[in-house]
Coordinates of all heavy atoms in Angstrom, one line a residue:
A391 N -29.9 -16.0 39.3 CA -29.0 -17.2 39.1 C -29.0 -17.6 37.6 O -27.9 -17.9 37.0 CB -29.4 -18.3 40.0
D392 N -30.1 -17.6 37.0 CA -30.2 -18.0 35.6 C -29.5 -17.0 34.7 O -28.8 -17.4 33.8 CB -31.7 -18.2 35.2 CG -31.8 -19.1 34.0 OD1 -31.5 -18.6 32.9 OD2 -32.3 -20.2 34.1
G393 N -29.7 -15.8 35.0 CA -29.0 -14.8 34.1 C -27.5 -14.8 34.3 O -26.8 -14.7 33.3
L394 N -27.0 -15.0 35.5 CA -25.6 -15.1 35.7 C -25.0 -16.4 35.0 O -23.9 -16.4 34.4 CB -25.2 -15.1 37.2 CG -25.4 -13.8 37.9 CD1 -25.2 -13.9 39.4 CD2 -24.5 -12.7 37.3
Y395 N -25.8 -17.5 35.2 CA -25.3 -18.7 34.6 C -25.3 -18.6 33.0 O -24.4 -19.1 32.4 CB -26.2 -19.9 35.0 CG -25.7 -21.2 34.5 CD1 -24.6 -21.9 35.1 CD2 -26.2 -21.8 33.3 CE1 -24.1 -23.1 34.6 CE2 -25.8 -23.0 32.8 CZ -24.7 -23.7 33.5 OH -24.2 -24.9 33.0
S396 N -26.3 -18.0 32.5 CA -26.3 -17.7 31.0 C -25.1 -16.9 30.6 O -24.4 -17.2 29.6 CB -27.6 -17.0 30.6 OG -28.7 -17.9 30.8
L397 N -24.8 -15.9 31.4 CA -23.7 -15.0 31.1 C -22.4 -15.8 31.1 O -21.5 -15.7 30.3 CB -23.6 -13.9 32.1 CG -22.4 -12.9 31.9 CD1 -22.5 -12.2 30.6 CD2 -22.4 -11.9 33.0
L398 N -22.2 -16.7 32.1 CA -21.0 -17.5 32.2 C -20.9 -18.5 31.0 O -19.9 -18.5 30.4 CB -21.1 -18.3 33.5 CG -20.0 -19.4 33.7 CD1 -18.6 -18.8 33.7 CD2 -20.2 -20.2 34.9
L399 N -22.0 -19.2 30.7 CA -21.9 -20.2 29.6 C -21.7 -19.5 28.3 O -20.8 -20.0 27.5 CB -23.2 -21.0 29.6 CG -23.4 -22.1 28.5 CD1 -22.3 -23.1 28.8 CD2 -24.8 -22.7 28.6
V400 N -22.4 -18.4 28.0 CA -22.2 -17.8 26.8 C -20.8 -17.1 26.7 O -20.2 -17.1 25.6 CB -23.3 -16.7 26.6 CG1 -23.1 -15.9 25.3 CG2 -24.7 -17.4 26.5
S401 N -20.3 -16.6 27.8 CA -19.0 -15.9 27.7 C -17.9 -16.9 27.3 O -17.0 -16.5 26.7 CB -18.7 -15.3 29.1 OG -19.6 -14.3 29.4
V402 N -18.0 -18.1 27.7 CA -17.0 -19.1 27.4 C -16.9 -19.2 25.8 O -15.9 -19.2 25.2 CB -17.3 -20.5 28.0 CG1 -16.3 -21.5 27.5 CG2 -17.1 -20.4 29.5
F403 N -18.1 -19.4 25.2 CA -18.1 -19.6 23.7 C -17.8 -18.3 23.0 O -17.1 -18.3 22.0 CB -19.4 -20.1 23.3 CG -19.6 -21.6 23.6 CD1 -20.2 -22.0 24.8 CD2 -19.2 -22.5 22.8 CE1 -20.4 -23.3 25.1 CE2 -19.3 -23.9 23.1 CZ -19.9 -24.3 24.2
V404 N -18.2 -17.1 23.6 CA -17.9 -15.9 22.9 C -16.3 -15.6 23.0 O -15.7 -15.1 22.1 CB -18.6 -14.7 23.6 CG1 -18.1 -13.4 23.2 CG2 -20.1 -14.8 23.3
A405 N -15.8 -16.0 24.2 CA -14.3 -15.8 24.3 C -13.6 -16.7 23.4 O -12.6 -16.3 22.8 CB -13.9 -16.2 25.8
F406 N -14.1 -18.0 23.2 CA -13.4 -18.8 22.2 C -13.5 -18.2 20.8 O -12.5 -18.2 20.1 CB -14.2 -20.2 22.1 CG -13.9 -21.1 23.2 CD1 -14.6 -22.3 23.4 CD2 -13.0 -20.8 24.2 CE1 -14.4 -23.1 24.4 CE2 -12.7 -21.6 25.2 CZ -13.4 -22.8 25.4
T407 N -14.6 -17.6 20.4 CA -14.8 -17.0 19.1 C -13.9 -15.8 18.9 O -13.2 -15.7 17.9 CB -16.3 -16.6 18.9 OG1 -17.1 -17.8 19.1 CG2 -16.5 -16.0 17.5
L408 N -13.8 -14.9 19.9 CA -13.0 -13.8 19.7 C -11.5 -14.1 19.7 O -10.7 -13.5 19.0 CB -13.3 -12.8 20.9 CG -14.7 -12.1 20.9 CD1 -14.8 -11.3 22.1 CD2 -14.9 -11.4 19.6
A409 N -11.1 -15.2 20.5 CA -9.7 -15.6 20.5 C -9.4 -16.2 19.2 O -8.3 -16.0 18.6 CB -9.5 -16.6 21.6
A410 N -10.3 -17.0 18.6 CA -10.0 -17.5 17.3 C -9.9 -16.5 16.2 O -9.1 -16.6 15.3 CB -11.1 -18.5 16.9
R411 N -10.7 -15.4 16.3 CA -10.6 -14.3 15.4 C -9.3 -13.6 15.5 O -8.6 -13.3 14.5 CB -11.7 -13.3 15.6 CG -13.1 -13.7 15.1 CD -14.1 -12.7 15.4 NE -13.8 -11.4 14.8 CZ -14.5 -10.2 15.1 NH1 -15.5 -10.3 15.9 NH2 -14.1 -9.1 14.5
R412 N -8.8 -13.4 16.7 CA -7.5 -12.8 16.9 C -6.4 -13.7 16.3 O -5.5 -13.2 15.7 CB -7.2 -12.5 18.4 CG -8.1 -11.4 19.0 CD -7.5 -11.0 20.3 NE -7.6 -12.0 21.3 CZ -8.7 -12.3 22.1 NH1 -9.7 -11.5 22.0 NH2 -8.6 -13.3 22.9
A413 N -6.5 -15.0 16.6 CA -5.5 -15.9 16.1 C -5.5 -15.9 14.5 O -4.4 -15.9 13.9 CB -5.8 -17.3 16.6
S414 N -6.7 -15.9 13.9 CA -6.7 -15.9 12.5 C -6.2 -14.6 11.9 O -5.5 -14.6 10.8 CB -8.2 -16.1 12.0 OG -9.0 -14.9 12.3
A415 N -6.4 -13.5 12.6 CA -5.8 -12.2 12.1 C -4.3 -12.3 12.1 O -3.6 -11.8 11.2 CB -6.3 -11.1 12.9
R416 N -3.7 -12.9 13.2 CA -2.3 -13.0 13.3 C -1.7 -13.9 12.2 O -0.7 -13.7 11.6 CB -1.9 -13.5 14.7 CG -2.1 -12.6 15.8 CD -1.4 -13.0 17.1 NE -1.9 -14.3 17.6 CZ -2.9 -14.4 18.5 NH1 -3.5 -13.3 19.0 NH2 -3.3 -15.6 18.9
V417 N -2.5 -15.0 12.0 CA -2.0 -15.9 10.9 C -2.0 -15.2 9.6 O -1.1 -15.4 8.8 CB -2.9 -17.2 10.9 CG1 -2.6 -18.0 9.7 CG2 -2.7 -18.0 12.2
D418 N -3.1 -14.5 9.3 CA -3.2 -13.8 8.0 C -2.0 -12.8 7.9 O -1.4 -12.6 6.8 CB -4.5 -13.0 7.9 CG -5.6 -14.0 7.6 OD1 -5.4 -15.1 7.1 OD2 -6.8 -13.6 7.8
E419 N -1.7 -12.1 8.9 CA -0.6 -11.1 8.9 C 0.7 -11.8 8.6 O 1.5 -11.4 7.8 CB -0.6 -10.3 10.2 CG 0.4 -9.1 10.1 CD -0.1 -8.1 9.1 OE1 -1.3 -7.9 8.9 OE2 0.8 -7.4 8.6
A420 N 0.9 -12.9 9.3 CA 2.2 -13.7 9.1 C 2.2 -14.2 7.7 O 3.3 -14.2 7.1 CB 2.3 -14.8 10.1
T421 N 1.1 -14.7 7.2 CA 1.0 -15.3 5.9 C 1.3 -14.2 4.8 O 2.1 -14.4 3.9 CB -0.3 -15.9 5.6 OG1 -0.6 -16.9 6.6 CG2 -0.4 -16.5 4.2
L422 N 0.8 -13.0 5.0 CA 1.0 -11.9 4.1 C 2.5 -11.5 4.0 O 3.0 -11.4 3.0 CB 0.1 -10.7 4.4 CG 0.2 -9.5 3.5 CD1 -0.2 -9.8 2.1 CD2 -0.6 -8.4 4.1
L423 N 3.1 -11.4 5.2 CA 4.5 -11.0 5.3 C 5.3 -12.1 4.6 O 6.3 -11.8 3.9 CB 4.9 -10.8 6.7 CG 4.2 -9.6 7.4 CD1 4.6 -9.5 8.9 CD2 4.6 -8.3 6.7
T424 N 5.0 -13.4 4.9 CA 5.8 -14.4 4.4 C 5.6 -14.5 2.8 O 6.6 -14.7 2.1 CB 5.4 -15.8 4.9 OG1 5.5 -15.7 6.4 CG2 6.2 -16.9 4.4
R425 N 4.4 -14.2 2.4 CA 4.1 -14.2 1.0 C 4.9 -13.1 0.3 O 5.4 -13.3 -0.8 CB 2.6 -14.1 0.8 CG 2.1 -14.3 -0.6 CD 0.6 -14.6 -0.5 NE 0.0 -14.7 -1.8 CZ -0.5 -13.7 -2.5 NH1 -0.5 -12.5 -2.0 NH2 -1.0 -13.9 -3.7

Side-chain angles (χ1 to χ4, degrees):
D392 200 287
L394 289 174
Y395 185 78
S396 294
L397 178 61
L398 171 63
L399 180 62
V400 173
S401 294
V402 171
F403 285 94
V404 167
F406 285 174
T407 303
L408 294 177
R411 284 179 57 187
R412 289 193 298 271
S414 67
R416 290 194 297 268
V417 170
D418 283 343
E419 190 64 29
T421 302
L422 180 62
L423 294 176
T424 302
R425 191 163 175 268

